[in-house]
Amino acid sequence: MTERIVLAYSGGLDTSVAIGWIGEATGAEVIAVAVDVGQGGESLETIRQRALGCGAVEAYVADASDEFANEYCVPTLKANALYQGHYPLVSAISRPVIVKHLVKAAREFGATTVAHGCTGKGNDQVRFEVGIQTLGPDLKCIAPVRDLALTRDKAIAFAEDKGLPIETTKKNPYSIDQNVWGRAVETGYLEDIWNAPTKDIYDYTAAPEFPPAPDEVTISFEAGVPVAIDGVKVTPLQAIKELNRRAGAQGVGRIDVVEDRLVGIKSREIYEAPGAMALITAHKHLEDITIEREQARFKATVGQRWAELVYDGQWFSPLKRSLDAFIEDTQRYVTGDIRMVLHGGQAIVNGRRSGTSLYDFDLATYDTGDTFDQSMARGFIELWGMSAKVASGRDIRVAGK
Ligand code: ARG
């Protein structure tokens, strides 16, 4: 039987050419798999037909948009995950869900190998292959761009030579990856890190310099999950989409950073994640009133570690699973409403309420009705400073010798 290879297919030039390129290099049949993670653009049926037109023996499309929102974006939100304090892991969380569907397709179509279109310089190759190793340890991996020397020039020549049904003239100067959680743009003009991004780079956000009238929105959460916007019930996918639209119109969620890739390179990235950044901001503010102080402090370090693991392609790892269990436990009381104003590139919270809040008006107030006994503070501070005071006494003694 002819060997079969499942290819992660985007519909773009590189993966379209990869279908025939892999076939010629290996003699295998190629099954193209496209996964909808809310990236928008062309219809999946158009993409499917193109794969078949480029020589795939089967083309399979998976609608994973709700799955992606529920099982990948929501955990990222619960973790308030921002890699290096900036990046909400847009591409990093989409690779594991794509891998899941690739492995499923490999089983369905009897493939022995999985292929992806990544280069050898980025994080995405790691995320694909570590994911595949974990979910399908018997499957082999190939990357035509990296392993079969499929360069851009060769791709264009191959497409023209074979008359493939794909545009070869429209050269996008940037490498773009997008899904419902956000959009990542890199390479080209952006590689000079002093160059400011030009207007044409953005697609999910309008220029924050010229915003429309302020937009006040109330987001309701239940156990850390967004469940309603302005009182209207929504699924996580609907919440992200609605906030992409409303926060995007105000230019919220533009990020320009130089980040540390797993392969040791620092790289310039432009992200747009209006819905994700508005949701993370709201969620964090709700945690501020519903999570106990020590648990909250510890959760911040867990969230940071979680973001690093996910960035580094360890979505399916044991440590990530253990951290998920911790984070899930912290979300028990993260239920309530956050009101925020979206305007001019900012999402600013101006009200919060929760039936499970730890904010105690009677303890906090400086007005009459205060139940906080201020006389306790004196002794508390005395003991709190004791250990450092003893040490400083020692320092003075030693220095005096
Ligand atoms: N640097 C980001 C990350 O590693 C974005 C990668 C985007 N991928 C792409 N092919 N443009 O998560």
PDB file of all heavy atoms in Angstrom, residues 87 89-93 95 118 122-124 127 174-178 184-187 259 261 267-269 271 311, ligand 1:
ATOM      1  N   TYR A  87       2.627  38.833  25.558  1.00  0.00           N
ATOM      2  CA  TYR A  87       2.055  38.119  24.411  1.00  0.00           C
ATOM      3  C   TYR A  87       1.034  37.058  24.845  1.00  0.00           C
ATOM      4  O   TYR A  87       1.396  36.098  25.523  1.00  0.00           O
ATOM      5  CB  TYR A  87       3.210  37.483  23.627  1.00  0.00           C
ATOM      6  CG  TYR A  87       2.851  36.431  22.608  1.00  0.00           C
ATOM      7  CD1 TYR A  87       1.790  36.606  21.716  1.00  0.00           C
ATOM      8  CD2 TYR A  87       3.593  35.254  22.506  1.00  0.00           C
ATOM      9  CE1 TYR A  87       1.495  35.638  20.775  1.00  0.00           C
ATOM     10  CE2 TYR A  87       3.303  34.287  21.560  1.00  0.00           C
ATOM     11  CZ  TYR A  87       2.248  34.486  20.702  1.00  0.00           C
ATOM     12  OH  TYR A  87       1.951  33.532  19.771  1.00  0.00           O
ATOM     13  N   LEU A  89      -0.147  34.511  23.612  1.00  0.00           N
ATOM     14  CA  LEU A  89       0.068  33.124  23.137  1.00  0.00           C
ATOM     15  C   LEU A  89      -0.796  32.702  21.950  1.00  0.00           C
ATOM     16  O   LEU A  89      -1.093  31.514  21.786  1.00  0.00           O
ATOM     17  CB  LEU A  89      -0.159  32.136  24.294  1.00  0.00           C
ATOM     18  CG  LEU A  89       0.751  32.318  25.510  1.00  0.00           C
ATOM     19  CD1 LEU A  89       0.280  31.435  26.662  1.00  0.00           C
ATOM     20  CD2 LEU A  89       2.201  31.973  25.164  1.00  0.00           C
ATOM     21  N   VAL A  90      -1.158  33.704  21.148  1.00  0.00           N
ATOM     22  CA  VAL A  90      -2.035  33.482  19.992  1.00  0.00           C
ATOM     23  C   VAL A  90      -1.686  32.223  19.160  1.00  0.00           C
ATOM     24  O   VAL A  90      -2.514  31.320  19.003  1.00  0.00           O
ATOM     25  CB  VAL A  90      -1.971  34.744  19.096  1.00  0.00           C
ATOM     26  CG1 VAL A  90      -2.692  34.534  17.793  1.00  0.00           C
ATOM     27  CG2 VAL A  90      -2.503  35.947  19.860  1.00  0.00           C
ATOM     28  N   SER A  91      -0.460  32.188  18.645  1.00  0.00           N
ATOM     29  CA  SER A  91      -0.063  31.059  17.788  1.00  0.00           C
ATOM     30  C   SER A  91       0.235  29.828  18.631  1.00  0.00           C
ATOM     31  O   SER A  91      -0.064  28.698  18.238  1.00  0.00           O
ATOM     32  CB  SER A  91       1.182  31.418  16.962  1.00  0.00           C
ATOM     33  OG  SER A  91       0.944  32.581  16.218  1.00  0.00           O
ATOM     34  N   ALA A  92       0.813  30.069  19.795  1.00  0.00           N
ATOM     35  CA  ALA A  92       1.232  28.955  20.665  1.00  0.00           C
ATOM     36  C   ALA A  92       0.075  28.055  21.075  1.00  0.00           C
ATOM     37  O   ALA A  92       0.245  26.850  21.211  1.00  0.00           O
ATOM     38  CB  ALA A  92       1.927  29.512  21.904  1.00  0.00           C
ATOM     39  N   ILE A  93      -1.125  28.625  21.272  1.00  0.00           N
ATOM     40  CA  ILE A  93      -2.253  27.785  21.701  1.00  0.00           C
ATOM     41  C   ILE A  93      -2.999  27.172  20.524  1.00  0.00           C
ATOM     42  O   ILE A  93      -3.788  26.242  20.720  1.00  0.00           O
ATOM     43  CB  ILE A  93      -3.243  28.538  22.633  1.00  0.00           C
ATOM     44  CG1 ILE A  93      -3.852  29.762  21.946  1.00  0.00           C
ATOM     45  CG2 ILE A  93      -2.565  28.908  23.938  1.00  0.00           C
ATOM     46  CD1 ILE A  93      -4.990  30.415  22.753  1.00  0.00           C
ATOM     47  N   ARG A  95      -1.476  25.707  17.869  1.00  0.00           N
ATOM     48  CA  ARG A  95      -0.774  24.528  17.352  1.00  0.00           C
ATOM     49  C   ARG A  95      -1.244  23.227  18.008  1.00  0.00           C
ATOM     50  O   ARG A  95      -1.485  22.254  17.312  1.00  0.00           O
ATOM     51  CB  ARG A  95       0.752  24.694  17.473  1.00  0.00           C
ATOM     52  CG  ARG A  95       1.312  25.890  16.658  1.00  0.00           C
ATOM     53  CD  ARG A  95       0.819  25.901  15.227  1.00  0.00           C
ATOM     54  NE  ARG A  95       1.418  26.936  14.396  1.00  0.00           N
ATOM     55  CZ  ARG A  95       0.777  28.029  13.956  1.00  0.00           C
ATOM     56  NH1 ARG A  95      -0.475  28.260  14.313  1.00  0.00           N
ATOM     57  NH2 ARG A  95       1.371  28.890  13.154  1.00  0.00           N
ATOM     58  N   CYS A 118       6.281  24.634   8.607  1.00  0.00           N
ATOM     59  CA  CYS A 118       7.123  25.577   9.349  1.00  0.00           C
ATOM     60  C   CYS A 118       8.568  25.554   8.854  1.00  0.00           C
ATOM     61  O   CYS A 118       9.047  24.542   8.356  1.00  0.00           O
ATOM     62  CB  CYS A 118       7.141  25.242  10.834  1.00  0.00           C
ATOM     63  SG  CYS A 118       5.517  25.173  11.570  1.00  0.00           S
ATOM     64  N   GLY A 122      11.667  28.772  13.866  1.00  0.00           N
ATOM     65  CA  GLY A 122      10.629  29.291  14.742  1.00  0.00           C
ATOM     66  C   GLY A 122      10.200  28.347  15.846  1.00  0.00           C
ATOM     67  O   GLY A 122      10.738  27.242  16.016  1.00  0.00           O
ATOM     68  N   ASN A 123       9.193  28.788  16.589  1.00  0.00           N
ATOM     69  CA  ASN A 123       8.628  27.990  17.673  1.00  0.00           C
ATOM     70  C   ASN A 123       7.595  26.990  17.175  1.00  0.00           C
ATOM     71  O   ASN A 123       7.370  25.965  17.811  1.00  0.00           O
ATOM     72  CB  ASN A 123       7.915  28.909  18.662  1.00  0.00           C
ATOM     73  CG  ASN A 123       8.838  29.921  19.286  1.00  0.00           C
ATOM     74  OD1 ASN A 123       9.891  29.563  19.807  1.00  0.00           O
ATOM     75  ND2 ASN A 123       8.455  31.188  19.239  1.00  0.00           N
ATOM     76  N   ASP A 124       6.941  27.336  16.068  1.00  0.00           N
ATOM     77  CA  ASP A 124       5.792  26.523  15.652  1.00  0.00           C
ATOM     78  C   ASP A 124       6.194  25.096  15.278  1.00  0.00           C
ATOM     79  O   ASP A 124       5.459  24.148  15.545  1.00  0.00           O
ATOM     80  CB  ASP A 124       5.039  27.210  14.508  1.00  0.00           C
ATOM     81  CG  ASP A 124       4.310  28.466  14.986  1.00  0.00           C
ATOM     82  OD1 ASP A 124       3.879  28.471  16.161  1.00  0.00           O
ATOM     83  OD2 ASP A 124       4.176  29.424  14.209  1.00  0.00           O
ATOM     84  N   ARG A 127       6.262  23.222  18.484  1.00  0.00           N
ATOM     85  CA  ARG A 127       4.909  22.957  19.004  1.00  0.00           C
ATOM     86  C   ARG A 127       4.242  21.828  18.233  1.00  0.00           C
ATOM     87  O   ARG A 127       3.601  20.962  18.822  1.00  0.00           O
ATOM     88  CB  ARG A 127       4.082  24.234  18.921  1.00  0.00           C
ATOM     89  CG  ARG A 127       4.663  25.336  19.787  1.00  0.00           C
ATOM     90  CD  ARG A 127       4.032  26.679  19.470  1.00  0.00           C
ATOM     91  NE  ARG A 127       4.648  27.739  20.247  1.00  0.00           N
ATOM     92  CZ  ARG A 127       4.738  28.996  19.843  1.00  0.00           C
ATOM     93  NH1 ARG A 127       4.245  29.375  18.672  1.00  0.00           N
ATOM     94  NH2 ARG A 127       5.311  29.900  20.611  1.00  0.00           N
ATOM     95  N   TYR A 174       5.087  39.953   4.825  1.00  0.00           N
ATOM     96  CA  TYR A 174       5.115  39.521   6.227  1.00  0.00           C
ATOM     97  C   TYR A 174       4.695  38.065   6.383  1.00  0.00           C
ATOM     98  O   TYR A 174       3.989  37.526   5.550  1.00  0.00           O
ATOM     99  CB  TYR A 174       4.171  40.390   7.064  1.00  0.00           C
ATOM    100  CG  TYR A 174       4.468  41.852   6.942  1.00  0.00           C
ATOM    101  CD1 TYR A 174       3.602  42.707   6.275  1.00  0.00           C
ATOM    102  CD2 TYR A 174       5.653  42.376   7.469  1.00  0.00           C
ATOM    103  CE1 TYR A 174       3.896  44.058   6.142  1.00  0.00           C
ATOM    104  CE2 TYR A 174       5.953  43.718   7.336  1.00  0.00           C
ATOM    105  CZ  TYR A 174       5.073  44.555   6.672  1.00  0.00           C
ATOM    106  OH  TYR A 174       5.383  45.874   6.550  1.00  0.00           O
ATOM    107  N   SER A 175       5.140  37.465   7.483  1.00  0.00           N
ATOM    108  CA  SER A 175       4.640  36.149   7.854  1.00  0.00           C
ATOM    109  C   SER A 175       3.527  36.373   8.872  1.00  0.00           C
ATOM    110  O   SER A 175       3.749  36.965   9.927  1.00  0.00           O
ATOM    111  CB  SER A 175       5.765  35.320   8.474  1.00  0.00           C
ATOM    112  OG  SER A 175       5.213  34.182   9.082  1.00  0.00           O
ATOM    113  N   ILE A 176       2.326  35.921   8.522  1.00  0.00           N
ATOM    114  CA  ILE A 176       1.150  36.217   9.354  1.00  0.00           C
ATOM    115  C   ILE A 176       0.503  34.927   9.828  1.00  0.00           C
ATOM    116  O   ILE A 176       0.384  33.971   9.065  1.00  0.00           O
ATOM    117  CB  ILE A 176       0.123  37.050   8.543  1.00  0.00           C
ATOM    118  CG1 ILE A 176       0.767  38.375   8.113  1.00  0.00           C
ATOM    119  CG2 ILE A 176      -1.151  37.297   9.349  1.00  0.00           C
ATOM    120  CD1 ILE A 176      -0.060  39.182   7.145  1.00  0.00           C
ATOM    121  N   ASP A 177       0.124  34.906  11.080  1.00  0.00           N
ATOM    122  CA  ASP A 177      -0.640  33.770  11.596  1.00  0.00           C
ATOM    123  C   ASP A 177      -1.791  34.348  12.401  1.00  0.00           C
ATOM    124  O   ASP A 177      -1.583  35.246  13.214  1.00  0.00           O
ATOM    125  CB  ASP A 177       0.247  32.897  12.497  1.00  0.00           C
ATOM    126  CG  ASP A 177      -0.511  31.679  13.003  1.00  0.00           C
ATOM    127  OD1 ASP A 177      -1.128  30.980  12.176  1.00  0.00           O
ATOM    128  OD2 ASP A 177      -0.498  31.426  14.221  1.00  0.00           O
ATOM    129  N   GLN A 178      -3.001  33.876  12.149  1.00  0.00           N
ATOM    130  CA  GLN A 178      -4.123  34.456  12.883  1.00  0.00           C
ATOM    131  C   GLN A 178      -5.177  33.430  13.244  1.00  0.00           C
ATOM    132  O   GLN A 178      -5.324  32.409  12.588  1.00  0.00           O
ATOM    133  CB  GLN A 178      -4.733  35.617  12.100  1.00  0.00           C
ATOM    134  CG  GLN A 178      -5.350  35.228  10.772  1.00  0.00           C
ATOM    135  CD  GLN A 178      -5.781  36.467   9.987  1.00  0.00           C
ATOM    136  OE1 GLN A 178      -4.985  37.384   9.786  1.00  0.00           O
ATOM    137  NE2 GLN A 178      -7.033  36.493   9.561  1.00  0.00           N
ATOM    138  N   ALA A 184      -0.692  37.464  14.585  1.00  0.00           N
ATOM    139  CA  ALA A 184       0.749  37.668  14.742  1.00  0.00           C
ATOM    140  C   ALA A 184       1.347  38.041  13.390  1.00  0.00           C
ATOM    141  O   ALA A 184       1.057  37.394  12.385  1.00  0.00           O
ATOM    142  CB  ALA A 184       1.408  36.383  15.255  1.00  0.00           C
ATOM    143  N   VAL A 185       2.175  39.083  13.379  1.00  0.00           N
ATOM    144  CA  VAL A 185       2.812  39.527  12.137  1.00  0.00           C
ATOM    145  C   VAL A 185       4.308  39.658  12.389  1.00  0.00           C
ATOM    146  O   VAL A 185       4.726  40.266  13.380  1.00  0.00           O
ATOM    147  CB  VAL A 185       2.264  40.907  11.688  1.00  0.00           C
ATOM    148  CG1 VAL A 185       2.813  41.283  10.313  1.00  0.00           C
ATOM    149  CG2 VAL A 185       0.742  40.916  11.673  1.00  0.00           C
ATOM    150  N   GLU A 186       5.110  39.088  11.503  1.00  0.00           N
ATOM    151  CA  GLU A 186       6.556  39.193  11.682  1.00  0.00           C
ATOM    152  C   GLU A 186       7.278  39.236  10.343  1.00  0.00           C
ATOM    153  O   GLU A 186       6.668  39.107   9.294  1.00  0.00           O
ATOM    154  CB  GLU A 186       7.076  38.035  12.564  1.00  0.00           C
ATOM    155  CG  GLU A 186       6.709  36.661  12.062  1.00  0.00           C
ATOM    156  CD  GLU A 186       7.025  35.517  13.040  1.00  0.00           C
ATOM    157  OE1 GLU A 186       6.953  35.705  14.247  1.00  0.00           O
ATOM    158  OE2 GLU A 186       7.349  34.437  12.556  1.00  0.00           O
ATOM    159  N   THR A 187       8.573  39.410  10.400  1.00  0.00           N
ATOM    160  CA  THR A 187       9.531  39.437   9.263  1.00  0.00           C
ATOM    161  C   THR A 187       9.476  40.726   8.438  1.00  0.00           C
ATOM    162  O   THR A 187       8.738  41.648   8.739  1.00  0.00           O
ATOM    163  CB  THR A 187       9.385  38.211   8.296  1.00  0.00           C
ATOM    164  OG1 THR A 187       8.179  38.343   7.547  1.00  0.00           O
ATOM    165  CG2 THR A 187       9.428  36.908   9.041  1.00  0.00           C
ATOM    166  N   GLU A 259      10.718  39.319  21.312  1.00  0.00           N
ATOM    167  CA  GLU A 259      10.525  38.227  22.263  1.00  0.00           C
ATOM    168  C   GLU A 259      11.582  37.140  22.102  1.00  0.00           C
ATOM    169  O   GLU A 259      12.224  37.024  21.057  1.00  0.00           O
ATOM    170  CB  GLU A 259       9.114  37.638  22.118  1.00  0.00           C
ATOM    171  CG  GLU A 259       8.965  36.686  20.967  1.00  0.00           C
ATOM    172  CD  GLU A 259       7.512  36.271  20.689  1.00  0.00           C
ATOM    173  OE1 GLU A 259       6.575  36.937  21.155  1.00  0.00           O
ATOM    174  OE2 GLU A 259       7.350  35.276  19.971  1.00  0.00           O
ATOM    175  N   ARG A 261      12.491  33.576  21.424  1.00  0.00           N
ATOM    176  CA  ARG A 261      12.034  32.297  20.888  1.00  0.00           C
ATOM    177  C   ARG A 261      12.734  31.150  21.595  1.00  0.00           C
ATOM    178  O   ARG A 261      13.850  31.308  22.082  1.00  0.00           O
ATOM    179  CB  ARG A 261      12.379  32.197  19.398  1.00  0.00           C
ATOM    180  CG  ARG A 261      11.509  33.067  18.543  1.00  0.00           C
ATOM    181  CD  ARG A 261      11.700  32.689  17.091  1.00  0.00           C
ATOM    182  NE  ARG A 261      10.986  33.629  16.251  1.00  0.00           N
ATOM    183  CZ  ARG A 261      11.140  33.723  14.949  1.00  0.00           C
ATOM    184  NH1 ARG A 261      12.013  32.929  14.321  1.00  0.00           N
ATOM    185  NH2 ARG A 261      10.448  34.590  14.252  1.00  0.00           N
ATOM    186  N   SER A 267      13.217  37.842  18.478  1.00  0.00           N
ATOM    187  CA  SER A 267      12.553  38.242  17.238  1.00  0.00           C
ATOM    188  C   SER A 267      11.484  39.292  17.493  1.00  0.00           C
ATOM    189  O   SER A 267      10.844  39.311  18.545  1.00  0.00           O
ATOM    190  CB  SER A 267      11.962  37.027  16.524  1.00  0.00           C
ATOM    191  OG  SER A 267      10.806  36.597  17.190  1.00  0.00           O
ATOM    192  N   ARG A 268      11.328  40.171  16.507  1.00  0.00           N
ATOM    193  CA  ARG A 268      10.340  41.256  16.573  1.00  0.00           C
ATOM    194  C   ARG A 268       8.972  40.724  16.166  1.00  0.00           C
ATOM    195  O   ARG A 268       8.838  40.087  15.126  1.00  0.00           O
ATOM    196  CB  ARG A 268      10.766  42.354  15.594  1.00  0.00           C
ATOM    197  CG  ARG A 268       9.701  43.429  15.296  1.00  0.00           C
ATOM    198  CD  ARG A 268       9.656  44.425  16.393  1.00  0.00           C
ATOM    199  NE  ARG A 268       8.866  45.636  16.187  1.00  0.00           N
ATOM    200  CZ  ARG A 268       9.139  46.639  15.361  1.00  0.00           C
ATOM    201  NH1 ARG A 268      10.161  46.577  14.544  1.00  0.00           N
ATOM    202  NH2 ARG A 268       8.377  47.708  15.333  1.00  0.00           N
ATOM    203  N   GLU A 269       7.981  41.011  16.972  1.00  0.00           N
ATOM    204  CA  GLU A 269       6.631  40.535  16.689  1.00  0.00           C
ATOM    205  C   GLU A 269       5.633  41.665  16.878  1.00  0.00           C
ATOM    206  O   GLU A 269       5.742  42.438  17.828  1.00  0.00           O
ATOM    207  CB  GLU A 269       6.238  39.413  17.672  1.00  0.00           C
ATOM    208  CG  GLU A 269       7.237  38.291  17.801  1.00  0.00           C
ATOM    209  CD  GLU A 269       7.182  37.288  16.665  1.00  0.00           C
ATOM    210  OE1 GLU A 269       6.115  37.185  16.020  1.00  0.00           O
ATOM    211  OE2 GLU A 269       8.201  36.626  16.420  1.00  0.00           O
ATOM    212  N   TYR A 271       1.603  41.968  17.448  1.00  0.00           N
ATOM    213  CA  TYR A 271       0.378  41.199  17.691  1.00  0.00           C
ATOM    214  C   TYR A 271      -0.806  42.145  17.778  1.00  0.00           C
ATOM    215  O   TYR A 271      -0.664  43.310  18.172  1.00  0.00           O
ATOM    216  CB  TYR A 271       0.468  40.438  19.018  1.00  0.00           C
ATOM    217  CG  TYR A 271       1.591  39.438  19.086  1.00  0.00           C
ATOM    218  CD1 TYR A 271       2.691  39.670  19.912  1.00  0.00           C
ATOM    219  CD2 TYR A 271       1.553  38.276  18.332  1.00  0.00           C
ATOM    220  CE1 TYR A 271       3.735  38.750  19.987  1.00  0.00           C
ATOM    221  CE2 TYR A 271       2.594  37.355  18.402  1.00  0.00           C
ATOM    222  CZ  TYR A 271       3.674  37.595  19.222  1.00  0.00           C
ATOM    223  OH  TYR A 271       4.697  36.692  19.292  1.00  0.00           O
ATOM    224  N   TYR A 311       4.236  28.424  25.528  1.00  0.00           N
ATOM    225  CA  TYR A 311       5.052  29.049  24.472  1.00  0.00           C
ATOM    226  C   TYR A 311       6.073  28.051  23.940  1.00  0.00           C
ATOM    227  O   TYR A 311       6.307  27.957  22.736  1.00  0.00           O
ATOM    228  CB  TYR A 311       5.763  30.273  25.049  1.00  0.00           C
ATOM    229  CG  TYR A 311       6.539  31.056  24.000  1.00  0.00           C
ATOM    230  CD1 TYR A 311       5.910  32.063  23.259  1.00  0.00           C
ATOM    231  CD2 TYR A 311       7.884  30.791  23.750  1.00  0.00           C
ATOM    232  CE1 TYR A 311       6.606  32.776  22.296  1.00  0.00           C
ATOM    233  CE2 TYR A 311       8.585  31.503  22.786  1.00  0.00           C
ATOM    234  CZ  TYR A 311       7.947  32.491  22.063  1.00  0.00           C
ATOM    235  OH  TYR A 311       8.633  33.189  21.096  1.00  0.00           O
TER     236      TYR A 311
HETATM  237  N1  ARG B   1       6.392  34.362  17.531  1.00  0.00           N
HETATM  238  C1  ARG B   1       5.047  33.975  17.806  1.00  0.00           C
HETATM  239  C2  ARG B   1       5.031  32.645  18.490  1.00  0.00           C
HETATM  240  O1  ARG B   1       5.991  31.957  18.438  1.00  0.00           O
HETATM  241  C3  ARG B   1       4.170  34.004  16.586  1.00  0.00           C
HETATM  242  C4  ARG B   1       4.446  32.994  15.552  1.00  0.00           C
HETATM  243  C5  ARG B   1       3.590  33.217  14.372  1.00  0.00           C
HETATM  244  N2  ARG B   1       3.776  32.254  13.367  1.00  0.00           N
HETATM  245  C6  ARG B   1       3.941  32.562  12.081  1.00  0.00           C
HETATM  246  N3  ARG B   1       4.131  31.584  11.257  1.00  0.00           N
HETATM  247  N4  ARG B   1       3.936  33.784  11.658  1.00  0.00           N
HETATM  248  O2  ARG B   1       4.062  32.281  19.092  1.00  0.00           O
END
